[in-house]
């Protein structure tokens, strides 16, 4: 798959990991060109099972992704419409497509991620931010609107209603450590730690079968708001999708025939053994 020709970011493939680097001077603004690029990227990734993980980062020393471009926001309709007439916005459609990618997605945030930039990060599966560099904000309510790319709905699912409303209605900056405390990111890391940490995590995830990565994602996202019995049924459904497409059953048979599961050395070294079992494919 060719990952060239984008105007707002560059993309590089390395051992199952696609690193997407936003580079759209002067401030990585989230406008129509970036949404078009992200939509094209998603189209390619949806058909590419060789890519297991996508890492999003920025070439700008101070900004991850800027807020949405006011050039198209100012052309929004000022007229209220009924619920029946409402259509999803381009930003919502594109970020939902990013969220549903079959690959694991990681946002490596080392600068400002406000408004739509923060919403983009929330649409990724995991978020890691650099202390002293990352800053977050949803400023929309102060402009007279509200977050409209998942900044309210995804954040509420991530941190709960009270925290989400505090962040959105407060419309203030918060840093990586606060983001970790409230739960909008996975971890706050020192600037010299974030690169190696994200790289190691991405490489490890990229070792696993693409079908089991996708099945895990879909099960988690589908079940989050379901009653427990329906959530468990969803897990079972995606389990069978995975076992029908991966070497899982061959690996279970190998473990049984080799007595691997009863070996105390294996019990002591599961993280390493899990890597070694990737060689069992037939």
């Amino acid at each position: 798959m060719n990952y060239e020709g984008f105007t707002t970011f560059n993309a590089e493939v390395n051992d199952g990991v696609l690193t997407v680097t936003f580079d759209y001077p002067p401030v990585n603004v989230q406008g129509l060109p970036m949404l078009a690029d992200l939509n094209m990227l998603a189209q390619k990734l949806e058909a590419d099972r060789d890519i297991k993980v996508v890492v999003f980062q920025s070439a700008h020393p101070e900004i991850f992704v800027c807020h949405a471009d006011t050039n198209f926001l100012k052309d929004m309709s000022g007229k209220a419409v009924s619920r029946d007439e409402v259509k999803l916005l381009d930003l919502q459609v594109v970020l939902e497509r990013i969220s549903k990618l079959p690959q694991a997605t990681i946002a490596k945030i080392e600068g400002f991620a406000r408004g739509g930039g923060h919403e983009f990060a929330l649409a990724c599966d995991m978020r890691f931010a650099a202390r002293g560099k990352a800053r977050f904000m949803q400023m929309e309510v102060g402009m007279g609107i509200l977050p409209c790319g998942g900044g309210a709905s995804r954040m509420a699912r991530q941190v709960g209603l009270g925290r989400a409303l505090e962040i959105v209605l407060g419309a203030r900056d918060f840093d990586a450590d606060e983001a970790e405390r409230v739960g909008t990111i996975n971890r706050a890391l020192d600037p010299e730690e974030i690169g190696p940490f994200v790289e190691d995590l991405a490489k490890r995830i990229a070792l696993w079968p693409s079908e089991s990565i996708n099945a895990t994602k879909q099960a988690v996202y589908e079940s989050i708001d379901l009653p427990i019995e329906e959530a468990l049924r969803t897990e079972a459904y995606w389990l069978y999708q995975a076992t029908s497409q991966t070497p899982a059953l061959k690996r279970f048979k190998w473990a049984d025939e080799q007595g691997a599961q009863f070996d105390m050395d294996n019990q002591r070294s599961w993280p390493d053994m899990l890597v070694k079992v990737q060689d069992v494919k037939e």
Side-chain angles (χ1 to χ4, degrees):
M1 189 73 70
N2 184 301
Y3 289 97
E4 298 177 352
F6 301 107
T7 61
T8 61
F9 53 72
N10 304 307
E12 181 180 352
V13 179
N14 186 17
D15 293 332
V17 178
L18 180 70
T19 301
V20 176
T21 304
F22 292 105
D23 192 4
Y24 190 43
V27 292
N28 284 348
V29 70
Q30 190 186 60
L32 293 177
M34 184 176 288
L35 294 183
D37 276 352
L38 287 171
N39 202 43
M40 180 58 70
L41 177 71
Q43 183 178 0
K44 291 174 179 289
L45 287 169
E46 286 161 357
D48 191 346
R49 290 300 180 264
D50 292 328
I51 299 296
K52 312 286 190 68
V53 185
V54 186
V55 176
F56 294 98
Q57 61 182 18
S58 173
H60 196 293
E62 293 186 69
I63 295 177
F64 174 64
V65 173
C66 185
H67 47 74
D69 190 348
T70 57
N71 279 328
F72 68 79
L73 289 177
K74 66 181 176 60
D75 294 327
M76 292 172 59
S77 173
K79 179 183 177 182
V81 298
S82 69
R83 288 183 182 270
D84 292 339
E85 296 176 283
V86 169
K87 295 181 180 179
L88 291 183
L89 307 173
D90 288 344
L91 177 60
Q92 293 174 318
V93 171
V94 173
L95 295 191
E96 179 67 359
R97 196 171 185 184
I98 293 294
S99 179
K100 289 184 175 178
L101 286 173
Q103 294 83 8
T105 55
I106 300 173
K108 185 174 74 170
I109 305 160
E110 300 175 274
F112 306 150
R114 298 188 178 108
H118 188 212
E119 291 175 308
F120 174 83
L122 290 170
C124 294
D125 300 326
M126 292 163 273
R127 291 155 295 283
F128 301 94
R131 292 189 177 98
K133 300 178 74 175
R135 303 290 297 183
F136 305 93
M137 175 193 264
Q138 295 295 156
M139 76 286 283
E140 292 86 352
V141 67
M143 297 297 292
I145 56 172
L146 70 155
C148 51
S153 52
R154 282 198 179 89
M155 198 173 337
R157 286 165 168 76
Q158 188 74 27
V159 305
L161 293 175
R163 290 286 195 188
L165 286 167
E166 177 187 348
I167 292 168
V168 174
L169 295 179
R172 62 177 181 83
D173 259 8
F174 57 103
D175 63 14
D177 284 312
E178 183 175 350
E180 182 185 67
R181 284 197 302 273
V182 301
T184 57
I185 64 171
N186 294 61
R187 301 183 191 220
L189 297 159
D190 290 338
E192 65 274 13
E193 295 177 321
I194 189 169
F197 180 91
V198 170
E199 182 178 359
D200 289 347
L201 177 61
K203 286 182 176 178
R204 184 170 178 83
I205 295 172
L207 296 172
W208 319 141
S210 59
E211 296 83 4
S212 60
I213 294 171
N214 178 51
T216 299
K217 277 191 59 170
Q218 304 311 321
V220 169
Y221 281 122
E222 282 186 32
S223 64
I224 189 170
D225 292 321
L226 295 176
I228 186 62
E229 288 189 7
E230 292 181 44
L232 293 174
R233 186 179 295 274
T234 296
E235 282 187 9
Y237 169 80
W238 283 106
L239 167 69
Y240 295 127
Q241 305 312 303
T243 55
S244 68
Q245 300 176 71
T246 71
L249 300 183
K250 297 181 178 67
R251 291 171 182 175
F252 296 147
K253 182 180 179 181
W254 170 85
D256 184 48
E257 291 175 348
Q258 299 293 319
Q261 61 185 328
F262 303 112
D263 188 318
M264 275 306 300
D265 288 336
N266 286 338
Q267 294 297 329
R268 296 186 183 103
S269 59
W270 255 104
D272 294 331
M273 199 272 284
L274 192 60
V275 173
K276 293 176 182 177
V277 82
Q278 301 307 305
D279 292 334
V280 179
K281 298 177 182 177
E282 298 297 337

mmCIF file of all heavy atoms in Angstrom, residues 2 4 15 58 61 71 83 130 143 195 205 209 241 260:
data_model
loop_
_atom_site.group_PDB
_atom_site.id
_atom_site.type_symbol
_atom_site.label_atom_id
_atom_site.label_comp_id
_atom_site.label_asym_id
_atom_site.label_seq_id
_atom_site.Cartn_x
_atom_site.Cartn_y
_atom_site.Cartn_z
ATOM 1 N N ASN A 2 0.524 2.206 -0.823
ATOM 2 C CA ASN A 2 1.295 3.444 -0.932
ATOM 3 C C ASN A 2 0.731 4.495 0.012
ATOM 4 O O ASN A 2 -0.465 4.796 -0.001
ATOM 5 C CB ASN A 2 1.231 3.952 -2.380
ATOM 6 C CG ASN A 2 2.092 5.174 -2.600
ATOM 7 O OD1 ASN A 2 1.910 6.194 -1.960
ATOM 8 N ND2 ASN A 2 3.035 5.081 -3.524
ATOM 9 N N GLU A 4 1.747 7.852 0.267
ATOM 10 C CA GLU A 4 2.365 9.095 -0.170
ATOM 11 C C GLU A 4 1.286 10.034 -0.723
ATOM 12 O O GLU A 4 0.146 9.644 -0.935
ATOM 13 C CB GLU A 4 3.412 8.817 -1.251
ATOM 14 C CG GLU A 4 4.570 7.945 -0.776
ATOM 15 C CD GLU A 4 5.554 7.636 -1.888
ATOM 16 O OE1 GLU A 4 5.256 7.982 -3.057
ATOM 17 O OE2 GLU A 4 6.611 7.045 -1.592
ATOM 18 N N ASP A 15 7.932 -2.150 9.771
ATOM 19 C CA ASP A 15 7.604 -3.384 10.501
ATOM 20 C C ASP A 15 6.188 -3.387 11.065
ATOM 21 O O ASP A 15 5.965 -3.657 12.256
ATOM 22 C CB ASP A 15 8.603 -3.617 11.633
ATOM 23 C CG ASP A 15 10.006 -3.922 11.125
ATOM 24 O OD1 ASP A 15 10.120 -4.469 10.008
ATOM 25 O OD2 ASP A 15 10.976 -3.612 11.838
ATOM 26 N N SER A 58 3.614 14.832 15.632
ATOM 27 C CA SER A 58 3.710 16.111 14.931
ATOM 28 C C SER A 58 5.154 16.520 14.729
ATOM 29 O O SER A 58 6.013 16.275 15.583
ATOM 30 C CB SER A 58 2.977 17.200 15.723
ATOM 31 O OG SER A 58 3.183 18.471 15.147
ATOM 32 N N PRO A 61 7.271 21.769 16.836
ATOM 33 C CA PRO A 61 7.827 21.636 18.186
ATOM 34 C C PRO A 61 6.867 22.026 19.299
ATOM 35 O O PRO A 61 7.093 21.667 20.455
ATOM 36 C CB PRO A 61 9.038 22.583 18.160
ATOM 37 C CG PRO A 61 8.712 23.587 17.098
ATOM 38 C CD PRO A 61 7.940 22.825 16.052
ATOM 39 N N ASN A 71 -12.065 29.149 9.048
ATOM 40 C CA ASN A 71 -12.499 29.469 7.688
ATOM 41 C C ASN A 71 -13.724 28.664 7.282
ATOM 42 O O ASN A 71 -14.564 29.141 6.521
ATOM 43 C CB ASN A 71 -11.365 29.223 6.691
ATOM 44 C CG ASN A 71 -10.380 30.366 6.664
ATOM 45 O OD1 ASN A 71 -10.748 31.512 6.864
ATOM 46 N ND2 ASN A 71 -9.117 30.050 6.447
ATOM 47 N N ARG A 83 -34.202 17.648 14.862
ATOM 48 C CA ARG A 83 -33.368 16.448 14.965
ATOM 49 C C ARG A 83 -33.438 15.615 13.678
ATOM 50 O O ARG A 83 -32.456 14.992 13.282
ATOM 51 C CB ARG A 83 -33.802 15.598 16.157
ATOM 52 C CG ARG A 83 -33.431 16.204 17.503
ATOM 53 C CD ARG A 83 -33.814 15.270 18.644
ATOM 54 N NE ARG A 83 -33.506 15.860 19.944
ATOM 55 C CZ ARG A 83 -32.342 15.716 20.579
ATOM 56 N NH1 ARG A 83 -31.382 14.990 20.020
ATOM 57 N NH2 ARG A 83 -32.138 16.267 21.761
ATOM 58 N N ALA A 130 3.554 14.351 26.568
ATOM 59 C CA ALA A 130 4.833 14.756 27.141
ATOM 60 C C ALA A 130 4.632 15.844 28.183
ATOM 61 O O ALA A 130 3.995 16.871 27.916
ATOM 62 C CB ALA A 130 5.771 15.237 26.043
ATOM 63 N N MET A 143 -16.785 30.190 22.560
ATOM 64 C CA MET A 143 -17.011 30.784 21.247
ATOM 65 C C MET A 143 -18.495 30.815 20.890
ATOM 66 O O MET A 143 -18.885 31.370 19.874
ATOM 67 C CB MET A 143 -16.241 30.003 20.185
ATOM 68 C CG MET A 143 -14.731 30.024 20.366
ATOM 69 S SD MET A 143 -14.012 31.674 20.240
ATOM 70 C CE MET A 143 -14.277 32.018 18.490
ATOM 71 N N GLY A 195 9.063 9.095 23.399
ATOM 72 C CA GLY A 195 9.411 8.474 22.123
ATOM 73 C C GLY A 195 9.713 6.993 22.249
ATOM 74 O O GLY A 195 9.080 6.154 21.582
ATOM 75 N N ILE A 205 2.708 -4.389 19.913
ATOM 76 C CA ILE A 205 1.358 -4.641 19.394
ATOM 77 C C ILE A 205 1.433 -5.157 17.965
ATOM 78 O O ILE A 205 0.655 -6.034 17.558
ATOM 79 C CB ILE A 205 0.507 -3.366 19.471
ATOM 80 C CG1 ILE A 205 0.283 -2.956 20.934
ATOM 81 C CG2 ILE A 205 -0.854 -3.572 18.780
ATOM 82 C CD1 ILE A 205 -0.389 -1.603 21.105
ATOM 83 N N PRO A 209 -1.469 -10.903 15.565
ATOM 84 C CA PRO A 209 -2.265 -11.012 14.334
ATOM 85 C C PRO A 209 -3.186 -9.793 14.151
ATOM 86 O O PRO A 209 -3.824 -9.344 15.110
ATOM 87 C CB PRO A 209 -3.088 -12.284 14.554
ATOM 88 C CG PRO A 209 -2.313 -13.076 15.558
ATOM 89 C CD PRO A 209 -1.681 -12.056 16.468
ATOM 90 N N GLN A 241 -14.740 -14.472 15.532
ATOM 91 C CA GLN A 241 -14.197 -13.811 14.344
ATOM 92 C C GLN A 241 -12.679 -13.939 14.333
ATOM 93 O O GLN A 241 -12.056 -14.151 13.285
ATOM 94 C CB GLN A 241 -14.588 -12.326 14.315
ATOM 95 C CG GLN A 241 -16.075 -12.045 14.421
ATOM 96 C CD GLN A 241 -16.910 -12.885 13.485
ATOM 97 O OE1 GLN A 241 -16.712 -12.870 12.275
ATOM 98 N NE2 GLN A 241 -17.839 -13.642 14.043
ATOM 99 N N ALA A 260 3.480 -26.735 27.269
ATOM 100 C CA ALA A 260 4.013 -25.402 27.530
ATOM 101 C C ALA A 260 3.287 -24.700 28.667
ATOM 102 O O ALA A 260 3.907 -23.970 29.456
ATOM 103 C CB ALA A 260 3.937 -24.558 26.257
#
